[in-house]
Amino acid sequence: MKLPELLSPAGNAACALAAFDAGADAVYAGLSKFNARERGDNFTEELLRSTVDYAHKNGKKLYLTLNTLIKECELPELLEMLANVSDINPDGVLIQDLGVLRVAREYFPHLELHGSTQMGIHNSAGMEMAEKLGLSRVVLERQLTLEELSAIRKRTKLELEVFIHGALCCSLSGSCLFSSYLGGWSGNRGKCKQPCRRRYYSKNGNGFFFSPQDLCAAELIPQLCKIGVNSLKIEGRLRQPDYVHNTVSAYRMLLDAPEADFPAALSEARNMLSRTCGRRWSTGFYTESSPQELIKPDSLGAAGMRVGNVDFVAERGFSFVTSKRLFLGDRLRIQPHSGDDGTAVTLTRMLVNNQSVRRAMPGEKLFVCCDKPVPPDGIVFKIGESFADYSKRIAALPVRKAAIDLDISITRNEAVIKTINYAGFEMRFPLELADAAKHPLNAETVRDAFAESNSETFALGSRTRIAIDGNYFLPGSQLKQLRREVWEKLHADITPELLQDSGNGAEALDRFLTDYRKMKCVELPPDTHLVETVAMKPNGAEPADRRAIRANDLFDINKMTREAILPEFCPESRLMSVIKAIDAAWKQGIRRFRVTSLYALALLEKYPEAQIIVSAPLPVCNSIAVKELERFNVSRVTAHIEMTEADIKALQQKCRIELECYRLGRPSLLVTRARIPFDGAFNDARGNKFELRFDRRSGLSRIFPVRVVSIPRLAGVYDFYDLRNAHWKNAETDTFNFDKAWN
């Protein structure tokens, strides 16, 4: 059995080195923008380049994360970033936004593309769509069972990646609006404020109702290997090298352990993992029973090992009695009881009995020197240990040499070497080659020979072309002499500054900008009546405007239904029932279908005459995403519900098909398969009111805001009214991000 890849987070270069030292096969990392962990340290382009080179030199891989939603106005900046990193040669790029996917595939075809878990792919129909989109790997939805993983594995040839350790989001991936609703800080944009970790209040009492335990799938490693998962992923790009090293070491040991030794290895691995200072462990959603106990409402949502309670706060620090050993260099978080973000500090100076110490023992009263605000009654958590200083190793990472791409042509009588990314260089060598009896010269041999330049300035470029027009024998000594003469001449004639962009990044950027300027929006006659769509309960009253299109959930359609809304989540076991329901709706005469998840596009391909509308929670934020959806017979898209008025109008200027807005309704802010220990109304400490509803048919719990989202009509944009959880007239309304900021 081939072992799956062990994939580690790398929030910075130190974490990448720690991961490789501990036995990770690959790491995933982000730049300063457009990745789902923008709060982390992340990489500069130059440091990413050096880390990729280090990884490749040591037989490792690095994947770049570009897995956030992109606004229309950000498309040129995104393309510039892609152009800059296209020649860095990451081993894959993780993507959520369909617009990012399309531009990467179209303008940088050499990049390997992976679907982020934020794409919400969770069944075999979704995998079929992933293949059509040009993805080679998919990071599956985190809320799948082992049984569902196994079923998907049998129905796709694409690589599968799953999470095995770390913090869990309570919501289905890519569909959480909770943080965005409470202040515009979007989890789909890498800026989640983690409202699910806060304390909430209901008639059943208060607690941390949406804060799941951490995932620890150590005991499930043999099953995941047998299923045939290709990559096992550890969460934690906001964590430090000590966490990365301990976690990777533990799972490396489990993967390498012989079957007979696995129980002993598991025990040792758990001891190693206990040092990573996380929350309580669970098996996440992998078993049928684990989601039932995933939420412990009496457990503070903070991660870490509890070591005490603040008993005194001074201008220059705070004190507490520690229950664990602490050392200089350890990291603490002081957490308020509300569950809001706590204050993180590193132990750089601590006092016991007014004496500076390097170590504090259990039971000692410790004064921590710091200049940060600390909650007076805060709970003190240890969140990390001191770790080795990686600064010297980071400084010593290889500086990438300037790449010279050669065009090498070999015939029986001559070898011609030209440069691709420098105009004017050409060398010709006369040859008298005989046919090879056993080992003819091949492109790989030539490439390997020319790669051995021993140059401190240049390296053979990855886009070098080699053409050999026959099966010739060329002595190794003659090939080496040819290489030496070429490199001597290259050093004499060329400096790095003279080389052109051989990665074609600048050319690709220019092509995109030219193509983008040509894109025009759909133009409607000024007197066009824009027929609205109204989503109704099964027995809801007729829309006020009789011309309006009545929409119902797929399993609630009736004689008045003109549009069927497909479910956003359909586990593999229910896929056939959705297929049959679509067929029944078609036979009933329904020709409009509202798609809320990528998998549904695959199911509708057998109905080429269908009118397809893409709607929440499947996000559409930019015109390139719209262009990609046109490939799949989509004729209308709903502007993503998180967007501001300015964002929507920017999209409208380039949208090539009908554009629609979510005008009124109560959108789902969080959707989960986890069992939430109450139902009904609740509120947060700031007075925001919500409602939790459990849907027995789907097995999903949803959070809805009490205030109804209601935004003004936009000229030339179709209206969508969602009355499944709202009414036409509502006492409390909200505009979501429409007239605020969407970060």
Side-chain angles (χ1 to χ4, degrees):
M1 184 189 302
K2 182 180 179 180
L3 289 179
E5 168 188 85
L6 181 56
L7 177 57
S8 170
N12 51 46
C15 288
L17 294 175
F20 292 141
D21 290 348
D25 300 302
V27 299
Y28 59 103
L31 294 167
S32 59
K33 288 196 70 174
F34 307 136
N35 83 84
R37 291 294 183 272
E38 287 195 5
R39 291 190 295 139
D41 296 339
N42 292 307
F43 284 72
T44 63
E45 289 178 9
E46 198 56 44
L47 191 52
L48 183 72
R49 188 186 305 272
S50 296
T51 309
V52 167
D53 288 350
Y54 176 88
H56 291 173
K57 182 179 179 180
N58 290 277
K60 310 288 187 177
K61 294 182 178 182
L62 185 147
Y63 304 120
L64 177 64
T65 58
L66 285 176
N67 55 340
T68 60
L69 300 180
I70 305 297
K71 302 178 183 182
E72 188 72 25
C73 63
E74 294 171 332
L75 285 171
E77 184 181 2
L78 170 79
L79 260 291
E80 186 175 354
M81 178 182 285
L82 274 171
N84 291 341
V85 303
S86 64
D87 68 333
I88 290 180
N89 296 325
D91 297 280
V93 180
L94 278 84
I95 290 172
Q96 173 187 11
D97 193 297
L98 292 175
V100 180
L101 189 154
R102 183 179 180 95
V103 296
R105 191 186 66 223
E106 184 172 344
Y107 296 96
F108 305 95
H110 63 284
L111 293 176
E112 185 172 316
L113 306 180
H114 297 180
S116 167
T117 188
Q118 292 292 102
M119 292 186 83
I121 294 176
H122 59 276
N123 58 33
S124 57
M127 294 301 298
E128 183 181 339
M129 272 302 300
E131 188 168 4
K132 295 177 186 296
L133 291 168
L135 300 173
S136 60
R137 176 188 290 189
V138 169
V139 188
L140 287 168
E141 164 62 57
R142 301 187 208 201
Q143 299 194 16
L144 297 183
T145 66
L146 289 176
E147 184 179 356
E148 290 163 349
L149 285 179
S150 181
I152 293 170
R153 173 72 284 170
K154 294 172 183 176
R155 295 177 173 90
T156 183
K157 295 179 181 178
L158 296 185
E159 292 185 359
L160 301 182
E161 181 176 306
V162 299
F163 284 89
I164 56 169
H165 196 90
L168 281 172
C169 292
C170 189
S171 183
L172 294 175
S173 299
S175 64
C176 185
L177 307 176
F178 210 179
S179 179
S180 187
Y181 182 81
L182 290 173
W185 299 97
S186 172
N188 294 307
R189 302 258 301 157
K191 297 176 171 69
C192 180
K193 292 292 188 180
Q194 296 188 311
C196 55
R197 301 296 184 188
R198 298 176 186 170
R199 185 184 297 274
Y200 292 93
Y201 305 85
S202 77
K203 63 181 181 181
N204 295 14
N206 64 73
F208 302 91
F209 299 132
F210 312 105
S211 180
Q213 301 170 76
D214 282 359
L215 171 64
C216 178
E219 65 191 71
L220 304 178
I221 293 301
Q223 291 166 265
L224 290 167
C225 291
K226 289 177 183 177
I227 286 172
V229 171
N230 302 92
S231 182
L232 302 178
K233 186 172 193 171
I234 297 167
E235 184 275 340
R237 276 193 290 144
L238 298 179
R239 304 296 293 266
Q240 295 299 320
D242 59 308
Y243 167 88
V244 170
H245 192 277
N246 287 339
T247 308
V248 171
S249 296
Y251 282 98
R252 180 77 271 161
M253 180 174 59
L254 291 175
L255 282 169
D256 294 342
E259 185 175 356
D261 297 339
F262 186 81
L266 179 60
S267 178
E268 186 176 347
R270 286 184 176 276
N271 288 333
M272 297 171 67
L273 293 170
S274 67
R275 298 173 56 193
T276 58
C277 300
R279 301 176 184 87
R280 292 182 184 177
W281 292 338
S282 75
T283 52
F285 295 87
Y286 282 130
T287 68
E288 292 290 347
S289 61
S290 53
Q292 304 304 309
E293 299 180 351
L294 189 60
I295 305 291
K296 301 290 186 184
D298 58 342
S299 296
L300 192 68
M305 179 189 299
R306 187 168 182 167
V307 295
N309 296 282
V310 174
D311 57 24
F312 175 72
V313 177
E315 184 177 345
R316 60 188 183 90
F318 64 96
S319 66
F320 69 97
V321 176
T322 181
S323 61
K324 304 288 183 181
R325 280 193 302 177
L326 295 174
F327 297 86
L328 287 182
D330 288 348
R331 296 183 306 285
L332 307 178
R333 178 182 289 116
I334 303 88
Q335 194 73 35
H337 289 269
S338 65
D340 289 347
D341 287 345
T343 299
V345 299
T346 299
L347 291 177
T348 56
R349 187 176 182 222
M350 55 184 180
L351 308 176
V352 174
N353 297 324
N354 289 323
Q355 298 294 318
S356 291
V357 296
R358 300 184 59 83
R359 180 183 66 179
M361 300 300 291
E364 290 184 327
K365 187 165 185 175
L366 177 67
F367 186 86
V368 176
C369 298
C370 77
D371 56 2
K372 296 182 179 180
V374 172
D377 60 344
I379 306 170
V380 185
F381 289 89
K382 178 182 174 182
I383 59 172
E385 299 178 338
S386 58
F387 52 84
D389 182 3
Y390 285 85
S391 57
K392 291 184 178 179
R393 288 182 62 188
I394 293 171
L397 285 172
V399 176
R400 181 172 292 189
K401 300 173 184 177
I404 294 184
D405 294 308
L406 300 180
D407 186 345
I408 302 172
S409 176
I410 297 176
T411 65
R412 186 183 297 275
N413 300 313
E414 187 180 40
V416 180
I417 292 88
K418 302 178 183 179
T419 48
I420 296 172
N421 53 335
Y422 172 76
F425 181 92
E426 179 177 319
M427 294 185 73
R428 292 178 176 270
F429 299 87
L431 299 173
E432 295 181 4
L433 301 181
D435 291 335
K438 293 184 178 180
H439 302 294
L441 183 68
N442 58 49
E444 184 177 357
T445 301
V446 175
R447 184 183 300 275
D448 289 345
F450 274 83
E452 296 179 11
S453 67
N454 293 322
S455 171
E456 296 182 358
T457 309
F458 299 113
L460 185 68
S462 61
R463 292 168 182 79
T464 291
R465 298 191 297 260
I466 300 170
I468 305 170
D469 74 346
N471 294 319
Y472 307 125
F473 173 73
L474 178 64
S477 58
Q478 191 173 353
L479 180 59
K480 289 179 181 179
Q481 178 61 31
L482 190 153
R483 178 201 67 203
R484 279 194 295 268
E485 293 185 27
V486 169
W487 278 109
E488 286 175 4
K489 181 69 172 171
L490 286 170
H491 280 98
D493 290 3
I494 301 175
T495 62
E497 294 75 22
L498 297 175
L499 295 174
Q500 299 169 357
D501 177 19
S502 62
N504 294 320
E507 178 190 339
L509 179 59
D510 289 341
R511 281 195 297 116
F512 167 77
L513 293 174
T514 299
D515 295 343
Y516 184 69
R517 283 191 287 267
K518 295 177 182 178
M519 290 178 60
K520 294 182 179 180
C521 64
V522 60
E523 295 185 6
L524 299 172
D527 59 346
T528 301
H529 175 75
L530 301 184
V531 178
E532 64 195 32
T533 304
V534 183
M536 311 286 292
K537 294 178 181 178
N539 300 313
E542 280 299 292
D545 187 342
R546 292 190 177 276
R547 291 174 295 185
I549 294 170
R550 180 184 178 123
N552 287 104
D553 290 331
L554 180 64
F555 292 100
D556 292 332
I557 61 175
N558 53 51
K559 293 181 179 179
M560 296 179 288
T561 303
R562 294 172 58 192
E563 176 183 292
I565 306 172
L566 276 59
E568 79 267 38
F569 186 77
C570 176
E572 193 71 20
S573 59
R574 298 178 186 173
L575 198 54
M576 187 53 64
S577 64
V578 171
I579 292 171
K580 291 179 179 178
I582 292 173
D583 189 57
W586 186 266
K587 291 176 180 176
Q588 185 176 314
I590 294 176
R591 296 295 181 265
R592 288 171 58 100
F593 294 88
R594 186 168 292 266
V595 166
T596 58
S597 182
L598 282 173
Y599 81 89
L601 292 174
L603 303 186
L604 290 172
E605 280 197 321
K606 65 176 289 191
Y607 305 97
E609 297 177 6
Q611 181 181 356
I612 301 175
I613 302 100
V614 164
S615 188
L618 179 54
V620 179
C621 302
N622 57 71
S623 58
I624 309 300
V626 175
K627 190 176 181 181
E628 181 67 6
L629 288 167
E630 287 183 75
R631 293 177 55 211
F632 303 99
N633 198 32
V634 173
S635 57
R636 179 186 294 186
V637 295
T638 307
H640 182 46
I641 194 169
E642 292 185 88
M643 293 164 65
T644 67
E645 180 180 11
D647 297 328
I648 297 171
K649 288 183 175 179
L651 170 59
Q652 185 183 11
Q653 292 301 310
K654 291 289 185 179
C655 189
R656 302 168 10 132
I657 58 178
E658 294 176 356
L659 182 63
E660 178 183 86
C661 272
Y662 189 101
R663 283 284 317 278
L664 183 142
R666 286 192 180 123
S668 298
L669 302 182
L670 182 151
V671 186
T672 185
R673 295 179 98 178
R675 186 186 73 83
I676 308 299
F678 79 100
D679 201 42
F682 69 98
N683 61 275
D684 65 11
R686 297 169 175 82
N688 296 299
K689 298 177 181 178
F690 308 94
E691 185 178 9
L692 180 72
R693 294 184 187 176
F694 175 68
D695 180 8
R696 293 185 181 278
R697 183 165 63 188
S698 65
L700 298 172
S701 292
R702 292 180 172 87
I703 294 177
F704 297 98
V706 167
R707 292 195 301 270
V708 171
V709 172
S710 178
I711 67 171
R713 173 174 279 119
L714 294 176
V717 179
Y718 289 83
D719 297 332
F720 177 69
Y721 300 93
D722 187 358
L723 301 185
R724 291 171 293 179
N725 300 291
H727 303 284
W728 285 115
K729 296 181 180 180
N730 302 275
E732 299 181 80
T733 61
D734 186 88
T735 59
F736 205 167
N737 294 330
F738 185 78
D739 52 4
K740 304 170 190 172
W742 178 40
N743 298 303

